[in-house]
């Protein structure tokens, strides 16, 4: 792990890239997500990800459930029995579910609201999956993103429990039949596309621009302005998640505008890179080993 863990970090130069371009990332504005799942479909089509089934989970319109080896974009649907709040410009309100037309009650608002969020790998500044990978399959790109090299991954799975967000996983399937079966898989932020100056497939397909791609610094400025606009319009719960370089993972390369607490969306409220204490642990183990060795030498010397 980099010695600069406790301070702001540009991960690409830290990983050895010389004259790296500006760090790229995603800003996902959940306030304009309509739950169309175009991002899920575009991601699967471009990356040739196997179908993980049309599973009716009994939880709203969500048929994928969570991120995984064959779900690199996951659109969550959260139904809440509370109104969205004061009318604001630029926010899509579906006014659902309901048994009458939106606004029929006379107050212009529905009694329920939907929170929709297109989740994705966070491309952490301090990525535990990178720290624990024994083969170098996971690497930091010149854009600051984290990518798995399919031909190097041995399927050990060390990266799976290391991720504080539960993003990465090994693909389930029959080897020789299912693409990359047994191999760790996750979002690459369309490394092959952005290297050619193109948008990632999910951002290109998003009809409301809920998913925005670009230079991370510029996205953070844009996101901060969006939060101010929403709060001024009455959505006082609007907040950013993952944008701060001072959080437990050094900030994320894919961050979100949320309309409620992170836990509501299934996100950890205070994520911490799971390998943060590894250097201290290795030092302690080394000192313990030296102490045992010194004791053994002393015992051997006493017998002589």
């Amino acid at each position: 792990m980099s010695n600069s863990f406790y301070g702001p970090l540009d991960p690409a130069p830290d990983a050895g890239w010389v004259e790296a371009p500006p760090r790229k990332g995603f800003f996902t504005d959940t306030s304009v997500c309509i739950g169309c799942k175009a991002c899920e479909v575009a991601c699967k089509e471009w990356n040739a990800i196997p179908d993980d089934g049309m599973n009716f989970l009994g939880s709203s319109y969500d048929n994928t459930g969570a991120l995984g080896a064959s779900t690199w974009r996951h659109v969550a649907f959260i139904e809440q029995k509370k109104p969205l709040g004061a009318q604001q410009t630029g926010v899509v309100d579906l006014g659902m579910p309901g048994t009458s037309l939106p606004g029929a009650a006379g107050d212009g608002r529905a009694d329920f609201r939907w929170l929709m969020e297109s989740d994705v790998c966070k491309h952490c500044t301090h990525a535990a999956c990178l720290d624990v990978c024994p083969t170098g399959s996971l690497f930091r790109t010149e854009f600051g993103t984290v990518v798995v090299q399919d031909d190097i991954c041995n399927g050990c799975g060390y990266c799976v429990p290391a991720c504080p967000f539960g993003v990465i996983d090994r693909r389930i399937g029959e080897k020789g039949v299912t693409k990359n079966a047994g191999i760790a898989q996750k979002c690459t932020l369309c490394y092959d596309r952005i290297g050619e100056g193109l948008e990632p497939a999910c951002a290109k397909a998003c009809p409301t621009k809920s998913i925005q791609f670009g230079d991370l610094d510029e996205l953070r400025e844009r996101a901060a302005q969006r939060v101010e606009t929403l709060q001024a319009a009455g959505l006082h719960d609007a907040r950013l998640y993952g944008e701060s370089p001072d959080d437990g993972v050094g900030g994320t390369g894919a961050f979100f505008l949320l309309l409620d607490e992170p836990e509501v969306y299934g996100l950890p409220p205070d994520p911490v890179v799971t390998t943060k204490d590894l250097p201290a642990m290795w030092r302690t183990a080394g000192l313990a080993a030296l102490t045992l060795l010194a004791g053994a030498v002393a015992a051997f010397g006493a017998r002589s």
Side-chain angles (χ1 to χ4, degrees), residues 151-181:
D151 57 338
I152 299 178
C153 177
N154 65 2
C156 69
Y158 292 168
C159 55
V160 177
C163 176
F165 297 98
V167 168
I168 194 166
D169 203 356
R170 288 180 294 183
R171 181 166 292 162
I172 297 173
E174 183 181 350
K175 290 190 175 181
V177 177
T178 303
K179 178 185 175 183
N180 292 328

Side-chain angles (χ1 to χ4, degrees), residues 3-91:
N3 292 329
S4 54
F5 179 85
Y6 294 101
L9 170 71
D10 190 350
D14 185 73
W17 290 97
V18 179
E19 297 182 357
R23 186 178 181 184
K24 302 295 185 182
F26 284 131
F27 164 44
T28 301
D29 181 353
T30 69
S31 70
V32 293
C33 178
I34 59 174
C36 67
K37 291 180 175 282
C39 54
E40 287 191 14
V41 175
C43 177
K44 280 186 175 293
E45 288 185 343
W46 179 261
N47 294 290
I49 300 174
D51 174 29
D52 47 1
M54 287 295 293
N55 302 312
F56 295 100
L57 306 178
S59 55
S60 184
Y61 294 105
D62 186 355
N63 67 293
T64 46
L67 293 172
S70 296
T71 303
W72 296 1
R73 270 279 180 186
H74 164 240
V75 179
F77 291 74
I78 300 106
E79 179 183 321
Q80 292 184 321
K81 192 173 182 179
K82 60 189 296 187
L84 182 61
Q87 180 70 40
Q88 52 298 123
T89 303
V91 178

